[in-house]
Every structure is written in structure tokens, then in C-alpha cells.
Amino acid sequence: MIIDTDTASDDAVALAMALNHPDVDVVAMTTVAGNCPLEDTTRNALYTAELCGSAVPVYAGADRPLLVKAREATWFHGMDGLGDQGYPPPSRSAEEEDGVSALINHIRGNPGSTLVTLGPLTNVALALAQAPDIVGLVGRCVVMGGTANKVGNVTPAAEFNLWFDPHAARMVFASGLPIEMVGWEICRFEAGLDAAEQVALRALDTPLAHFFLDCNSTAMEAAHRQSGTRRLELPDPTAMAVAIDKGRVVTRSSRHYVEVEAESPLTRGMSVVDSLNVTGNPVNVEVVNAIDNDLFKQMVFDAAGG
Ligand code: RIB
Ligand code: CA
């Protein structure tokens, strides 16, 4: 597995799910600007790997979107991206190699691997532009991003990862990569941990259980202000559960033509899903329509050491 991430609150839980799973071999993690600036997403990825006792190489990638101005989400995740808990700096640094060339090299070196994207798609778009051959080498490309004809979380039309760098998202969705799209609508409501589940997670009383809840504390408050929820909604872990155990986690999916809007001020970053095949365009995405929420949550608990 290769993970591309804008490591902040929910990304950190997703990274731990992969790093702590006995059946997953994470060969590389590449970081990208998104939730917070690249320096912070890279530090957060290194810190999370350290908490998991992992020496997985981390490579810093793009520090800004392809064309639009970077507009991070520190308002949601905290200034440091991990809920401003005052965590210590990681004991190791990122690798010298930049994230884009690392993506290319690790994809070429691990044909058939699963690429999981948890942030804006800038690194993946740049890798595709430099090395179009990687399209045929990626086994699965699981994308946390977009919404399938549902409301967005950063504008009425768009989800943050696709909105942050809409041109990169448009390129990736049109690239031919075997995309499995886990939209924000899948990660909400019953997929979020309710109060009792949050208490049960805390009661595991493991360092990661506390980390999962504490680093998401700012995000939970922001989510409550944004949508009124008191659940702990975890978009990236939801996508990671699909990547790790698709056969049991995904209960319904469908294949459609999906295109990302990159120019319109109103709908920039919108994932336009042709659910009724009215365009007649060739299918390019498997859209996840429903998951087993209980199984997903059990995977989060397992990662916490439950
Ligand atoms: O819209 C949710 C996505 O945006 C998640 O990946 C979250 O970490 C943020 O990057
Ligand atoms: Ca993310």
C-alpha cells in the first residue's frame, strides 16, 4: 500500500489503521498540502508513524495546488492539524526524495499496489504528468474525496480534497487510474462514532485510543458548528477501511462516469457523478454507495489496540 496524505486529525487515524493492520504492508507515505501547510502535514505523518512504531519512509510532496491558491483547513483541524495538543516533534525527518518522484518510484517498484489518497490530489496529478505509465501499474486507487450527488463540506457542491486542488482532481479522475471513490456522504451520520462509541474508545485506555480522540477534538467541535453533529465522523479512516477490506466493508457500489469541475466559482471541485449514464461517457470510477458501519468502527477500535 502507498498512502498519499494531508495528515491532520482524521488522516492520522487512517494511517494508524494501515500501519497497525497485520495484512497491510505500507511501503511509503507521501505528504501534500491540504488540511494544513506541507510542513505540518509532513510532521504529522512522521509523528503518527512514530506512535505506531513504524519506520515507513515519508516523503514531502507538493506544497500548493497546481493552479488555485492554497486555502488550508486549520480552522477545522487546529493550527497544527492535530487538535493543537502540543505533541512533541517526531524524532525523524522526511526522506530527501520529493513526494512526487517517490510516488512514481514506489508505484513502479510495487506493481499492482493499492494507492490510497487521503488529501488533495496534487501529488498524484504531478506524478501522472511526469510518468503516465503509472496508470497501468496501480492495482487500486482508493480516493477519499468528492460526494456522489450529495452536499459538499466546503461549499454546497464540493468536498474539501477535490475543492482544494480541483485541477489536480480533474486530471486524476480523467487519468484512467482504477479509482474507488469514497465520498464524504459515506463518512457521515451513522458512520460517525456516537457518544457511547467515543466513551468505549476512550475506555480502551491505549495511547492510540487517546490519540485518536484527542487529535480529533478540534475537528469534532468544528463539525458540530458546521453540521450540528456530535458524532466523531472520520472520512479518511472510512476510505482506509474500504482500501483494507473492501469485500466486507463495501455493501454497495456502482460504476459511473465521474468528472470534476475545475473552473466554476460556484461548483469548483464538484464530483459530477453520471448516475443515470445520460452522458454515455465511459465509466471511470467505482463509486462506493454504502458500507458496513459497524465493521468500519470495529477496524478503528482494532487499530487503537482494542
Ligand atoms: O473532506 C474530508 C477530507 O478533507 C479528509 O481527507 C480530511 O482530512 C480533509 O483532508
Ligand atoms: Ca485528509
Side-chain angles (χ1 to χ4, degrees):
M1 181 183 286
I2 299 167
I3 306 172
D4 190 69
T5 169
D6 62 336
T7 310
S9 319
D10 61 318
D11 301 70
V13 179
L15 299 187
M17 286 170 70
L19 294 171
N20 290 345
H21 197 287
D23 300 338
V24 174
D25 175 19
V26 183
V27 296
M29 300 198 309
T30 53
T31 56
V32 66
N35 283 321
C36 29
L38 178 66
E39 178 188 351
D40 297 326
T41 63
T42 304
R43 185 195 64 245
N44 295 341
L46 287 162
Y47 181 73
T48 304
E50 195 163 319
L51 286 185
C52 298
S54 167
V56 62
V58 175
Y59 305 85
D63 65 357
R64 72 197 71 181
L66 296 182
L67 293 177
V68 297
K69 184 179 179 317
R71 292 173 62 185
E72 293 89 356
T74 48
W75 61 274
F76 193 92
H77 296 280
M79 288 313 293
D80 70 356
L82 292 179
D84 298 324
Q85 299 291 310
Y87 295 126
S91 56
R92 66 185 170 99
S93 304
E95 307 299 311
E96 281 303 310
E97 184 178 9
D98 77 276
V100 176
S101 60
L103 259 185
I104 295 167
N105 292 330
H106 281 285
I107 288 170
R108 284 176 173 161
N110 299 275
S113 59
T114 296
L115 172 61
V116 183
T117 72
L118 305 176
L121 292 168
T122 317
N123 287 343
V124 181
L126 288 168
L128 287 165
Q130 288 179 33
D133 63 289
I134 63 173
V135 170
L137 296 174
V138 172
R140 296 171 62 203
C141 182
V142 182
V143 174
M144 191 286 127
T147 68
N149 301 321
K150 294 282 186 183
V151 68
N153 59 7
V154 69
T155 73
E159 174 278 330
F160 178 80
N161 286 337
L162 302 196
W163 170 87
F164 185 85
D165 191 342
H167 299 92
R170 183 174 179 81
M171 282 174 62
V172 171
F173 273 69
S175 68
L177 277 172
I179 293 174
E180 300 166 28
M181 175 177 138
V182 181
W184 187 54
E185 76 281 4
I186 301 297
C187 316
R188 305 182 64 191
F189 309 121
E190 288 70 26
L193 276 65
D194 64 19
E197 289 161 336
Q198 294 167 42
V199 167
L201 181 57
R202 182 70 77 178
L204 294 183
D205 198 22
T206 62
L208 280 177
H210 293 303
F211 174 64
F212 287 2
L213 290 165
D214 296 342
C215 78
N216 277 279
S217 54
T218 304
M220 279 190 66
E221 283 307 312
H224 179 243
R225 289 195 303 272
Q226 180 183 55
S227 66
T229 185
R230 281 294 184 195
R231 287 178 178 263
L232 171 53
E233 295 177 348
L234 296 166
D236 293 335
T238 307
M240 185 57 77
V242 171
I244 292 172
D245 194 351
K246 178 182 184 179
R248 293 195 306 152
V249 170
V250 176
T251 54
R252 189 160 43 85
S253 70
S254 48
R255 297 182 55 77
H256 303 285
Y257 174 68
V258 181
E259 185 174 342
V260 179
E261 170 58 49
E263 299 306 333
S264 158
L266 175 64
T267 58
R268 154 188 157 175
M270 180 177 183
S271 51
V272 181
V273 178
D274 183 4
S275 300
L276 301 181
N277 191 26
V278 293
T279 66
N281 290 336
V283 165
N284 59 331
V285 174
E286 178 178 2
V287 176
V288 174
N289 305 121
I291 64 165
D292 181 328
N293 290 320
D294 291 338
L295 176 55
F296 156 59
K297 292 174 186 177
Q298 185 54 54
M299 293 171 75
V300 173
F301 276 66
D302 291 346

